[in-house]
Amino acid sequence: MKSMKKIAAAALSCLMAGAMLAGCGTTENTTSDSGSSDAGSADAGKVYNVGICQLVEHAALDAATLGFKDALTEKLGENVKFDEQNAQGESTNCATICSGFVANNCDLILANATPALQAAAAATNSTPIIGTSITDYATALAIDEWTGKTGVNVTGTSDLAPIDQQEDMLLELFPDVKQVGILYCSSEANSKYQATKFEEALAADGIAYKEYSAADSNEIQSITTTAVAECDVLYIPTDNTMASNAEIVKNIAVPAGIPVIAGEEGICSGCGVATLSISYYDIGYKAGEMAYDILVNGKNAGDMDIEFAPNVVKEYNKEICETLGITPPEGYVAIGE
């Protein structure tokens, strides 16, 4: 037993050492190639080291990270370096990455998606943290009395689209719907939050619904198969696990003739017919502007209001709509056109 404890301790030491070596101060970090007029506002010669923890690779989160980097690059030029790391969908990896950023004295951490934000907040109460692609900060950080700002070392942008308008869109497209199946990953707290809000909107309109939650990606095929057999329309909120596995949903729902209303463009592109979507690039870009205010202008993250996407757009998936014989009404824009 003692030998096993020694082995475990050695493994943990190696893991933490690896995280520290990958930290913000390394010369391998991505550095911007061009400056702007704002770069002169930074302390002369100071280089800001920013750690980026992204939960998983998919279109929405990728766009948010790009927007964040573009905003800071435009404002700081060569005075900013990014240590960008992807947690491959694992919350434990988020914790290791964020601990490494703190150990290497990053000036600021971008946490892209809720598990990344929770890991960053657990890792430090002093290093400024900017969140993006977060649906509800109060839920993510377990804040009981919400005022619009966190009051701690965290601020950022939300990807929450108007849930009631998404429900209105579902009824606009499918006015004769009998039962709506709501699919999400149960390990993502913000997905449950959206599901509950969507259910409240459906209940107010007298529409029946049923939840189908997957603990992880391994259960998506099973719950989708059950949902298409029991419901005539499906709804998927902004959910990282579902976004990464949208092809599985498509391969079950489309042959069954069951349409999917999606919470964001990336999921809709993969398996949906329509979405009321925000721009993830825009909320990432706004997060970058907020980061600049903290790094250069000395703002306190806890005093900054959480920001939301300025616009939402009704979009539809042309390919799937044509396959299912659905013609969206005026006011919808085809994704990618």
Side-chain angles (χ1 to χ4, degrees):
M1 181 65 71
K2 289 183 179 179
S3 62
M4 290 297 293
K5 289 182 178 179
K6 289 180 180 179
I7 292 171
L12 179 60
S13 297
C14 290
L15 178 63
M16 293 305 297
M20 292 177 68
L21 286 173
C24 293
T26 63
T27 58
E28 295 180 0
N29 297 339
T30 304
T31 306
S32 61
D33 294 323
S34 61
S36 74
S37 58
D38 287 316
S41 300
D43 293 340
K46 178 173 176 56
V47 174
Y48 297 94
N49 293 306
V50 175
I52 298 175
C53 179
Q54 180 174 317
L55 174 64
V56 68
E57 182 180 352
H58 66 69
L61 299 190
D62 292 349
T65 293
L66 178 60
F68 176 81
K69 292 170 66 177
D70 282 354
L72 275 181
T73 296
E74 289 173 15
K75 289 181 173 294
L76 291 172
E78 295 182 354
N79 286 15
V80 63
K81 291 183 178 181
F82 302 106
D83 182 1
E84 183 177 352
Q85 299 192 40
N86 192 299
Q88 304 301 322
E90 297 292 337
S91 296
T92 52
N93 291 343
C94 289
T96 302
I97 291 167
C98 291
S99 294
F101 291 158
V102 175
N104 285 279
N105 298 313
C106 279
D107 295 298
L108 181 140
I109 296 172
L110 174 73
N112 192 349
T114 297
L117 180 72
Q118 293 169 330
T124 177
N125 60 8
S126 57
T127 303
I129 299 167
I130 298 285
T132 193
S133 312
I134 313 298
T135 302
D136 182 64
Y137 282 77
T139 299
L141 299 175
I143 299 174
D144 293 329
E145 297 183 6
W146 182 245
T147 64
K149 48 180 71 76
T150 68
V152 293
N153 60 315
V154 177
T155 190
T157 57
S158 171
D159 63 357
L160 181 63
I163 299 295
D164 57 342
Q165 293 180 39
Q166 290 183 344
E167 191 260 354
D168 287 343
M169 185 175 66
L170 185 151
L171 296 183
E172 177 182 42
L173 292 169
F174 309 106
D176 298 325
V177 61
K178 298 297 187 295
Q179 177 158 290
V180 177
I182 302 173
L183 279 63
Y184 66 95
C185 179
S186 58
S187 65
E188 297 190 32
N190 282 322
S191 299
K192 173 60 177 175
Y193 172 85
Q194 293 171 84
T196 299
K197 292 297 183 183
F198 201 84
E199 289 164 6
E200 291 172 357
L202 289 169
D205 286 325
I207 306 300
Y209 60 84
K210 187 174 180 179
E211 284 191 7
Y212 302 86
S213 60
D216 54 39
S217 59
N218 295 322
E219 297 182 359
I220 291 176
Q221 182 170 348
S222 174
I223 66 163
T224 304
T225 300
T226 302
V228 300
E230 298 177 346
C231 303
D232 42 352
V233 179
L234 305 182
Y235 170 73
I236 301 176
T238 57
D239 183 293
N240 294 298
T241 303
M242 300 301 292
S244 298
N245 295 275
E247 189 73 14
I248 295 175
V249 178
K250 175 184 177 181
N251 291 340
I252 297 170
V254 172
I258 302 300
V260 175
I261 298 296
E264 54 91 8
E265 182 184 283
I267 296 175
C268 191
S269 296
C271 66
V273 297
T275 181
L276 184 71
S277 188
I278 67 167
S279 166
Y280 276 79
Y281 179 88
D282 287 351
I283 63 170
Y285 193 93
K286 182 61 181 179
E289 293 180 326
M290 297 171 79
Y292 179 83
D293 275 341
I294 292 170
L295 293 171
V296 178
N297 297 330
K299 286 194 176 181
N300 180 18
D303 295 333
M304 300 171 69
D305 287 332
I306 300 302
E307 299 283 352
F308 294 81
N311 302 301
V312 292
V313 179
K314 287 183 175 181
E315 297 181 307
Y316 71 97
N317 184 320
K318 185 175 181 180
E319 177 189 350
I320 294 180
C321 281
E322 289 178 349
T323 299
L324 297 182
I326 297 169
T327 302
E330 290 186 10
Y332 285 74
V333 178
I335 294 174
E337 294 185 1

